[in-house]
C-alpha cells in the first residue's frame, strides 16, 4: 500500500514538472495578464517598459519631460521620476474624462519621501471644460505622511479623502482612485487593494485648469510639485471599478493567477 501511494506521488510531481514550462503557479502578473485587459472602458494602459506609450488606444500616449528613465520596476521596467530633475510623463489630453465616472490604478515606489508640508502629485487628470481634476497626492506632515485622493472643482472645492500612509521606499505600493458620479458622487481611495474610505463630491468647478493627464506632476498651469520615485503599470478607466475589481488587480500582481502568462517559464516567448 505504501509503495502504491509513493508511486502516485511521484507520478503527480512528474506531471507538474512536465507542465511547468507552460503553467505559472502563483507567479505575480501585471495588469496585462488580467481579464480586465479587454474591458471596453479602458482609456489608457501604460506598461512603462521603455516609454509612455499606451497599449490600448492612442490618445493616452504620454511623452517625457526632464528625460525620465525606465529602470527595473515591479514588472520588467517602469518610469523613474526625479524631483530634482523635474522628470514626469504626460499627455495634453483629458482622455475624455469630464469629471464623471473614472478610475486610475498604478504601482508606485518612493524615491525621496516628501518633506513637511511638501505635496507630491503622483497622478493628475484635468478637464478645462468641466473645470474638474482628479489627483492622488503624497504629502509630508510633521514627520509622517498622508495620501490624499482628490476630486477638485476648481475654485469651488478640493473634495478629499485623506489617509495616513508612510509609503515604502523598499517595495511597490498599489494605488487606485475611483469616482462614482451617481447621486452625491463618491471618491474611493485604495491602497494595496483595500479601500481606505470615501469622500463625497459632485458638480463642476469655476476656475481654469488644463486638459492633461500625467504621472509624477501637478499639471495645473506651470508643471510642478513633482513626485520622486518609480511608477509602473498605470491604467485608466472611464467607469468606476468595483472593490472586487480593484482587489483582483492587486491580488493578481501579488499572488499570480488569472489571465494568460506573460512568458512561458524558461522560454522568452509571450503568452499574452
Amino acid at each position: 500500500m505504501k509503495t502504491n501511494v509513493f508511486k502516485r506521488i511521484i507520478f503527480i510531481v512528474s506531471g507538474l514538472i512536465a507542465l511547468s514550462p507552460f503553467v505559472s503557479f502563483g507567479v505575480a502578473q501585471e495588469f496585462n495578464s488580467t481579464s480586465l485587459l479587454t474591458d471596453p472602458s479602458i482609456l489608457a494602459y501604460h506598461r512603462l517598459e521603455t516609454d509612455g506609450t499606451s497599449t490600448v488606444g492612442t490618445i493616452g500616449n504620454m511623452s517625457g519631460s526632464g528625460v525620465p528613465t525606465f529602470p527595473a520596476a515591479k514588472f520588467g521596467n517602469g518610469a523613474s521620476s526625479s524631483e530634482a530633475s523635474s522628470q514626469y510623463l504626460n499627455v495634453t489630453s483629458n482622455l475624455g474624462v469630464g469629471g464623471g465616472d473614472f478610475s486610475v490604478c498604478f504601482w508606485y515606489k518612493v524615491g525621496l519621501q516628501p518633506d513637511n508640508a511638501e505635496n507630491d502629485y503622483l497622478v493628475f487628470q484635468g478637464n478645462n471644460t468641466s473645470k474638474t481634476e482628479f489627483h492622488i497626492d503624497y504629502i509630508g506632515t510633521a514627520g509622517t505622511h498622508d495620501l490624499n485622493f482628490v476630486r477638485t472643482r476648481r475654485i469651488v472645492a478640493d473634495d478629499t479623502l485623506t489617509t495616513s500612509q508612510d509609503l515604502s521606499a523598499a517595495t511597490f505600493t498599489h494605488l487606485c482612485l475611483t469616482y462614482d458620479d451617481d447621486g452625491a458622487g463618491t471618491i474611493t481611495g485604495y491602497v494595496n487593494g483595500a479601500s481606505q474610505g470615501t469622500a463625497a463630491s459632485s458638480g463642476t468647478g469655476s476656475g481654469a485648469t488644463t486638459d492633461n493627464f500625467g504621472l509624477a506632476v501637478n499639471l495645473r498651469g506651470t508643471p510642478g510639485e513633482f513626485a520622486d520615485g518609480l511608477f509602473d503599470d498605470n491604467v485608466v478607466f472611464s467607469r468606476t471599478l468595483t472593490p472586487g475589481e480593484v482587489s483582483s488587480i492587486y491580488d493578481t500582481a501579488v499572488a499570480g493567477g488569472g489571465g494568460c502568462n506573460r512568458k512561458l517559464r524558461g522560454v522568452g516567448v509571450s503568452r499574452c
Side-chain angles (χ1 to χ4, degrees), residues 79-126:
S80 176
S81 63
S82 167
E83 181 180 10
S85 301
S86 302
Q87 293 173 336
Y88 62 93
L89 288 165
N90 81 293
V91 55
T92 53
S93 167
N94 57 38
L95 304 184
V97 177
D101 290 350
F102 174 76
S103 298
V104 60
C105 299
F106 57 92
W107 291 87
Y108 175 65
K109 183 167 75 170
V110 175
L112 292 176
Q113 296 282 4
D115 295 329
N116 186 39
E118 179 184 335
N119 188 353
D120 291 354
Y121 274 58
L122 303 185
V123 66
F124 174 97
Q125 184 280 331

Side-chain angles (χ1 to χ4, degrees), residues 74 107-110 167-174 192 230:
K74 179 70 177 177
W107 291 87
Y108 175 65
K109 183 167 75 170
V110 175
L167 300 184
S168 174
T171 59
F172 278 86
T173 301
H174 192 244
N192 288 338
L230 270 172

Side-chain angles (χ1 to χ4, degrees), residues 200-218:
S201 179
S202 62
T204 58
S206 60
T209 184
T210 57
D211 291 305
N212 241 310
F213 178 86
L215 294 173
V217 62
N218 176 2

Side-chain angles (χ1 to χ4, degrees), residues 10-269:
I10 294 296
F11 177 77
I12 292 170
V13 171
S14 298
L16 290 175
I17 292 172
L19 284 172
S20 64
F22 305 98
V23 180
S24 174
F25 300 102
V27 176
Q29 298 178 42
E30 61 189 324
F31 179 82
N32 191 58
S33 300
T34 72
S35 59
L36 280 171
L37 182 65
T38 58
D39 192 305
S41 68
I42 294 177
L43 297 173
Y45 171 42
H46 306 104
R47 295 179 71 186
L48 304 174
E49 291 296 317
T50 58
D51 56 27
T53 298
S54 174
T55 59
V56 178
T58 56
I59 196 171
N61 290 338
M62 296 189 293
S63 59
S65 181
V67 195
T69 58
F70 295 86
K74 179 70 177 177
F75 306 102
N77 296 336
S80 176
S81 63
S82 167
E83 181 180 10
S85 301
S86 302
Q87 293 173 336
Y88 62 93
L89 288 165
N90 81 293
V91 55
T92 53
S93 167
N94 57 38
L95 304 184
V97 177
D101 290 350
F102 174 76
S103 298
V104 60
C105 299
F106 57 92
W107 291 87
Y108 175 65
K109 183 167 75 170
V110 175
L112 292 176
Q113 296 282 4
D115 295 329
N116 186 39
E118 179 184 335
N119 188 353
D120 291 354
Y121 274 58
L122 303 185
V123 66
F124 174 97
Q125 184 280 331
N127 186 301
N128 197 38
T129 300
S130 62
K131 315 297 184 189
T132 56
E133 301 166 352
F134 292 104
H135 43 105
I136 300 176
D137 313 334
Y138 188 41
I139 303 171
T141 53
T144 184
H145 300 90
D146 287 341
L147 271 176
N148 284 352
F149 299 85
V150 188
R151 182 179 183 268
T152 293
R153 294 172 284 149
R154 286 291 291 134
I155 308 301
V156 177
D158 289 318
D159 302 317
T160 304
L161 166 67
T162 298
T163 175
S164 179
Q165 297 283 341
D166 285 310
L167 300 184
S168 174
T171 59
F172 278 86
T173 301
H174 192 244
L175 303 173
C176 286
L177 180 155
T178 69
Y179 177 68
D180 186 348
D181 197 27
D182 290 344
T186 305
I187 306 161
T188 306
Y190 297 86
V191 176
N192 288 338
S195 172
Q196 304 300 300
T198 63
S201 179
S202 62
T204 58
S206 60
T209 184
T210 57
D211 291 305
N212 241 310
F213 178 86
L215 294 173
V217 62
N218 176 2
L219 291 163
R220 182 192 313 126
T222 302
E225 298 177 291
F226 307 101
D228 194 293
L230 270 172
F231 292 81
D232 206 353
D233 226 35
N234 174 75
V235 61
V236 186
F237 296 82
S238 62
R239 69 175 179 87
T240 312
L241 292 180
T242 67
E245 288 170 330
V246 172
S247 65
S248 73
I249 296 172
Y250 172 74
D251 290 342
T252 298
V254 172
C260 61
N261 295 322
R262 185 175 175 185
K263 290 183 179 179
L264 293 173
R265 181 168 293 180
V267 182
V269 178

